[in-house]
Each structure stands twice: as structure tokens, then as C-alpha cells.
Amino acid sequence: MASTDLIRPASAASDWTIPQGWKHYTASEHAMWDQLFERQVKLLPGRAAPEFLAGLDILRLSRPGIPNFDELSERLMKATGWQVVPVPGLIPDDVFFDHLANRRFVAGNFIRKPEQIDYLQEPDVFHDVFGHVPLLANPVFADYMQAYGVGGQRAANGGVIEKLARLYWYTVEFGLIRSGDQGLKIYGAGIVSSFGETIFSLDDPSPNRLGFDVRRLMRTKYRIDDYQQNYFVIDSFEDLLRQTLQTDFGPLYAELEDAPDIEIETILPTDAVYTHGTQSYAREKATEQA
Ligand code: HBI
Ligand code: FE
């Protein structure tokens, strides 16, 4: 569904925010958060980027269970000037960009049901808060997210927004990072909040792990209904910010306008491919087209 087709619920304000209603969460909803939190916290050391792990402490509030957004925002505000605001679910692109440009991260206030523990389509409070908030406590990543919102507001037409959405998808949601000689680590919120994809994205031999290249990435289609076929690997958050949102995108958009999309299973001769090694990944030039 295109996010422009969304209808704002009567209970939501003009900026699509709603009250979190923290007092209304049931004991079993809080228990669902605690269960998901414990499972990911056990899995992530050695797999998640150190910057993500460093930000996890921001989620350890005065009480267990689903974080109270006011308390969380107070802590996040002190770290990087960001806030977390509740919304009912997906919101339109322009509203989403406006929140990000003003350092407000929108988070669903609902939590998945027990039968959805491993997969749900709509971003719930666990995905949004556990997945996204720890890196928002990192000053460089916090600036990247704001710059994305500003870039979205400037994007004049739908074609450009589609390319920007791919940048968000392959970095903020499903990004991998090379962590010195420690091999590849995960940082994308869609991975770090998923038990299955945390393992799949690093260990499974089937997906392509490609060196980050913004032109290549913006032409690459993606899947929303299964683990990813492609992951793009950045060298550092500083480098990501420099190569993308601190660069003038005007000429890039013009250049990409007539460039064809790249199918998800394609590896190009120009791609840098990370291959599976015992200790770490070797970065090689692809020699043949897949
Ligand atoms: N709304 N709640 C919510 N969360 C998102 O991640 C989101 C959204 N609306 C639009 C959107 N993302 C994407 O269109 C942008 O990345 C382009
Ligand atoms: Fe997300």
C-alpha cells in the first residue's frame, strides 16, 4: 500500500500522533516486550554493531515492560535531541519526513500478538523502539536520520521518493556494517529486532552482501515479505552520512532518472562482494554476473 493512500484515524492529531496510552497496556503486552527484549539482548552481542549495543542502555528504564515514551524521550533528548512520538501505524511520507526533519521518531504504540512473535507486517512498538531507538542515541546516526527527513521534504516527485525509500530500506532498516577486523555486524532496525534475520543476514550463504554504493543501491529493488536477498555493507556511520545526505543529490537524481532498476538477485561485475569466511568476510570484486 502506498503511504499516500492512508486515512488518518479520527483519534489522531493532524501530525498523526496519538496518546501512547501507557496505562492501558496489559500485563501480557508488557510480558511480550520483555520476552522479545530478553531474546534479542542475548543474541546481539558479537552480532550487532558496537554503536547499537552502546545505545541499548537507553531502553533500560525505571520499569520493565513497554517503554513509556515520555520517559524514553527525556533520556534520548539528553543524548542527541531526539524524541519518540506515538502513532497508530504507517503514516504518509510527507508527515514521516516532517517528524524526522524535526528529530521526532514516530513509533507504533501497539505490540504484536503472541502468534505474531516472529513476523508481522506493520511496525509495532518492539520494532520501532527496540530496533530504531538505540542508534538514535548515537550522534552521527541521529544526524543521518534527520538529514533523511530533510532530504525527503526536498524530494520533488514520486520517482525520487522511491529511490530515497530504498536508501532508508537498505541502511536504516537492513544495513550491515564492517566493524574493523571483527567482520560484519548488523545495525538495521529490521534485522536487530528480528531473531530470524539477525542470524540469516550474517550466517546464511544465500543473500548477497555488497559494498555500499549509493548509485547501485538506489536502483536496487527490495522485498518486503521475506528475509532480504541483498544487504549493503557500510564502512562506518560517518562514511554513510558523508556519501549520502551530506552530498548534493540533485545531479545524482538526474543521473538515476533513466537508469534501469536492478533485480534483487543480480550481482554486477562492478559490485564489491563480501564472501563468507570462517572468521570474517573477504571483500572481493565480483567476476561474473549471477
Ligand atoms: N510510517 N510509522 C511509519 N514508519 C515508517 O517507517 C514509515 C512510515 N511512513 C512512510 C515511511 N516509513 C517510508 O515511506 C519512508 O522511508 C520513505
Ligand atoms: Fe523500521
Side-chain angles (χ1 to χ4, degrees), residues 40 44 52 105 112 118-121 123 126-133 135 141 168-176 186-201 226-228 231:
Q40 285 313 100
L44 291 178
F52 179 89
F105 190 75
R112 65 196 70 185
D118 287 312
Y119 184 75
L120 82 170
Q121 189 123 16
F126 187 75
H127 166 83
D128 281 333
V129 171
F130 184 91
H132 288 281
V133 169
L135 274 183
F141 197 84
Y168 192 88
W169 189 264
Y170 280 123
T171 61
V172 177
E173 295 293 352
F174 292 98
L176 298 184
I186 60 179
Y187 73 88
I191 310 178
V192 296
S193 63
S194 160
F195 185 81
E197 198 150 356
T198 290
I199 295 167
F200 176 89
S201 63
D226 199 355
Y227 296 154
Q228 298 304 301
Y231 299 98

Side-chain angles (χ1 to χ4, degrees), residues 12 19 24 41 89 135 139 142 154 156 252 262:
H24 301 300
V41 157
L135 274 183
R154 287 198 191 124
L252 178 64
I262 302 170

